[in-house]
Amino acid sequence: MEEHRRRAELVGPLELLPAVDFCCVYGSSLLPNNSDKTSMVDYILGVADPIQWHSENLERNRHHYSKWMGRLGPTAINWVADRIGVGVHFNPFVEWKDKMIKYGVVQMHHLAMDVLTWDRFYLSGRLQKPVQVLIDNWDIQKVNLINLKAATSASLLLLPAKFSEEDLYAKICSLSYMGDLRMLFAEDKNKVKNIVRGSFTSFQSMYKASLQEFAAEGLLQIPYAGHEFEQDCGLSATRNHFFSLPWTIQKRLGMKHDDGSGITKTQTIITSRELAANCVTKALRRLVLISSARQAMSGLAATGGVAAARYLTRKISKAWKSRTS
């Protein structure tokens, strides 16, 4: 009964908006241990045609947008999201009854491609952590299984031979924060730990299939309760994990060569576990750094200085409390 009531409460704000093909809620508002009832509820909305969607939404909810973006119109809104940001336009501080919500709008094609290829490693990173999916007309949850397996492979490459279940989920959770500028000053220092501990059973449910698959291949030993995982750290296992990652990561180790036909091809060579782990770390840091910086600039351009300052002040205040408590 409580779960049904909570879902109905989360679906409520969608009544304000044009139809979407995908919707999920993410962030601290989902955590059972979240005591901040003033925190915004965060939504990701996937739509087939963002320009058409923003056009309709401007007619319904022009006050959701900054004044200058409202004047520029849907094409400009989409241009800022795609060319400056990473394809997502956010409208923060939207009031819904006694709640404050923030929603990000992304084209379904961009969402699916990021989940499959990590080309931006933005929404794919969010979907590696527990979310509550409310609408899924494109079966993104099924597509996301590829993303979850890749996240597991990347994390196993970065973990030692023995590790706890909490260590595993913390490493998975931290992938999308590697290189994120906000973690230096505008995020709770306990963010990863709070997410994992507050959503532990959800992580177990999400990653059960991937872990069982690796166990069946002999790459991982799943322990009994209270014991540690053990993984094969040999070169064969390392290559298996590395080549399970999207090409966006693999190409960082690519070496160009001529196959004899005059055509230059790229070949990836893994000679050690350390090499593979360093490659994954550097690739993810670069991806996250670029995406977080682009999205920050896009947010500033889209929401205007006042709204951006308001949002950043809230984030820094929360981060400061975590560092002084």
Side-chain angles (χ1 to χ4, degrees), residues 86-104:
V86 289
V88 190
H89 171 84
F90 282 99
N91 282 335
F93 302 113
V94 174
E95 294 183 8
W96 165 255
K97 295 184 178 180
D98 61 340
K99 299 286 185 183
M100 196 76 76
I101 72 168
K102 177 183 74 176
Y103 61 89

Side-chain angles (χ1 to χ4, degrees), residues 116-185:
L116 289 170
T117 70
W118 293 7
D119 60 342
R120 297 174 179 182
F121 203 61
Y122 187 69
L123 295 179
S124 51
R126 295 206 187 282
L127 292 177
Q128 288 168 1
K129 297 179 277 292
V131 300
Q132 183 161 352
V133 176
L134 303 176
I135 298 172
D136 190 9
N137 296 338
W138 281 38
D139 285 336
I140 291 296
Q141 289 183 96
K142 290 183 180 178
V143 176
N144 195 49
L145 294 175
I146 298 171
N147 182 31
L148 299 184
K149 182 179 180 182
T152 307
S153 285
S155 298
L156 289 173
L157 285 171
L158 301 178
L159 285 165
K162 294 184 178 182
F163 52 89
S164 70
E165 190 171 10
E166 185 172 330
D167 291 337
L168 172 62
Y169 301 143
K171 183 61 69 176
I172 290 171
C173 186
S174 70
L175 296 178
S176 59
Y177 297 127
M178 297 169 69
D180 191 333
L181 296 173
R182 298 172 303 170
M183 296 302 291
L184 298 176
F185 65 93

